[in-house]
Every structure is written in C-alpha cells, then in structure tokens.
Amino acid sequence: MIINYHTHTVRCGHASHAPDAAYVEAALETGIRELGFADHVPYPFEDVHFSGCRMRCAELPDYMASLTALKEEYKGRVDIHIGFEAEYYPDYFDKLLDMLAPWPCEYLILGQHFLNNEMGEPYNGGATDSVERLRLYGDQCKRAMATGRFSYFAHPDLLNFTGDETAYREVARDLCRAAKDFGMPLEFNLLGFIDRRPYPRRVFWEEVSAVGNEVILGWDAHSPNWMKQPEREAEARAYLSFLGLTPLDALALRDPLWDRK
Ligand SMILES: [Zn+2]
Ligand SMILES: [Zn+2]
C-alpha cells in the first residue's frame, strides 16, 4: 500500500501508546509514501458533553506541533499529511471549523460514529433494526458530504443495521450515488475487515460496485504495527477485485478550511 490517510495517535484515548514517529517509521517500512494522520477530532462541545472517544481540545496544539515537526523531519522519504477523522454534527460543525481555522489542518475524513449531535446517542457500530436510524444515518452522511469539507468517507457502512435487507440496500444505494455525485471516495476499512467486525459489509460493497464509486483502502491504524499486514491487505484487494473494484493509489485532498483563512 502506498497511501494511508487513516492513522490515529495516542491522544484519542483508545490507541497504542506509541509515539507519533513510530507510525511514520512503520509506514516507511511497509512502503507507504503518503501517510495521513486523521486522529479523532476534538469537538468543541466539551463544556456540555464529555466524549470519551477523541482527543481533548487542549491536545490540539501538541498534535499539530508533533506532526508538523515530523513532516519536516521525514521530508523526501514520506509525505505526511495532517488531518482528522470527524463526524458531521450539525449544531457544532461550524464551531469545529472555526476552532481548526488557525491550524495547518490539511484534510478531514468523514467517520459518522454517532447520529445527531452525539449526545445521548448509541455508537453506530452497535446493532440496530430501526429503519428510522438507518435513514437518519443516510441523511446525515449525505448532509456531511454536501458541506464539501471532507476528502473521503471512512467506513461508510459503519451503521450495523440488522433489519430488512431491502431497506438497507435502498439506503446504501442512495448513499453511494450521493458519494459519487460529490466525488467522495468510499473507504474499505481494514480495521473492520481484519477484526471481522460487521463492516465492511458485503451487501454495501455490492451496491458500491453497482454504482461504480471510487474506493480507497484505509488502515484505521491505532498502533504502528497495524500497517504491517501485507497478507491481509492482499485479501482486501482480492475481495474488492471480485466486485470489480480497484482502490485508488492517490487521493486529492480537499482543504476543509478554504473559506476561513
Ligand atoms: Zn479510533
Ligand atoms: Zn472511525
């Protein structure tokens, strides 16, 4: 794999304690030429809600300083990009962009881990047979893509819907079409694939294949060694190839802060 734009760090609270540089070294070892850090974004709702799955707003300066230094240190060997994996939370998204505006944030990937504004919501990876939640997930992700702030859509099939397959396919197809219209690559998530989580979900990827979306592989690395699994990567490529899909080997980054500089 020569690109990986889905790398976490210790700051999110559920990743390995390895220093940031260890991810860069692991990427170099495996032949990755473009390494994007996309840790779980700090959301500016800490005064009303404590989110246990992301870095604190107070950690933002350290994240930026560390990655900016690594970018310089490894120049010419691996291209490091600084970004975040972010949900689209309608009540807080503008505040998030304002908070990021002074920092050299190059990209965002969409990872919609919760519905609405997160507060009081169950994790989208948990099982649900609610068609209402399924449709809300589809609508919220489409609104997210419509902002034009995201460079790709991480684990688009995260919502673990256990109900009627026809209803699921309908929402999946609609989401894939919207992603295609917005020029948004869909991530085949290697964490879910290797861990045998409910995502990547076969029926979703059949819809991706039918719609003909751009596809990207993402390690979703929460430890440096995670990126060193070439056999599993080959299995993922074979899975996609069977569906007539070939992952991108380059990603065009969209500046999420284009109007705030
Ligand atoms: Zn994570
Ligand atoms: Zn995620």
Side-chain angles (χ1 to χ4, degrees), residues 13-232:
H14 57 268
S16 115
H17 286 166
D20 299 341
Y23 287 90
V24 185
E25 288 294 336
L28 269 174
E29 261 181 65
T30 62
I32 290 172
R33 300 289 305 143
E34 307 247 332
L35 179 67
F37 281 89
D39 209 357
H40 296 278
V41 80
Y43 240 100
F45 46 35
E46 282 173 15
D47 45 344
V48 286
H49 165 67
F50 177 81
S51 182
C53 55
R54 58 188 72 254
M55 73 170 75
R56 311 263 69 82
C57 295
E59 289 172 296
L60 193 52
D62 176 63
Y63 181 69
M64 289 296 178
S66 168
L67 298 185
T68 303
L70 289 172
K71 204 177 165 101
E72 195 55 37
E73 187 183 337
Y74 285 88
K75 207 176 220 164
R77 289 192 286 160
V78 54
D79 287 329
I80 295 174
H81 296 283
I82 307 175
F84 294 97
E85 178 180 17
E87 298 82 357
Y88 172 68
Y89 293 143
D91 291 353
Y92 293 91
F93 194 64
D94 277 332
K95 281 180 205 152
L96 173 67
L97 296 175
D98 290 342
M99 184 185 78
L100 295 178
W103 301 101
C105 167
E106 299 174 75
Y107 74 102
L108 298 177
I109 59 176
L110 172 63
Q112 194 67 39
H113 302 101
F114 299 89
L115 297 178
N116 296 312
N117 292 294
E118 181 168 314
M119 286 154 239
E121 296 288 342
Y123 174 54
N124 282 335
T128 178
D129 61 1
S130 161
V131 175
E132 195 188 332
R133 292 199 72 219
L134 171 68
R135 298 212 169 116
L136 183 56
Y137 177 80
D139 287 345
Q140 193 157 351
C141 292
K142 282 198 286 181
R143 284 174 67 197
M145 291 192 277
T147 65
R149 309 284 177 177
F150 295 97
S151 293
Y152 84 56
F153 189 175
H155 45 62
D157 45 354
L158 177 68
L159 190 87
N160 184 9
F161 180 70
T162 54
D164 176 48
E165 191 181 301
T166 310
Y168 182 80
R169 279 193 187 269
E170 208 172 282
V171 170
R173 173 78 59 116
D174 188 48
L175 203 48
C176 291
R177 285 193 179 130
K180 195 173 185 182
D181 288 347
F182 290 122
M184 182 86 46
L186 301 177
E187 180 202 71
F188 188 85
N189 188 276
L190 291 170
L191 175 55
F193 182 71
I194 295 169
D195 252 9
R196 300 195 181 281
R197 296 183 181 185
Y199 62 96
R201 181 171 178 150
R202 186 65 173 209
V203 289
F204 185 91
W205 290 88
E206 286 170 8
E207 297 301 328
V208 174
S209 170
V211 172
N213 290 90
E214 286 190 316
V215 173
I216 185 165
L217 291 177
W219 278 117
D220 200 349
H222 288 77
S223 74
N225 284 341
W226 189 253
M227 293 181 278
K228 299 192 216 165
Q229 301 185 78
E231 302 84 9
R232 310 313 305 273

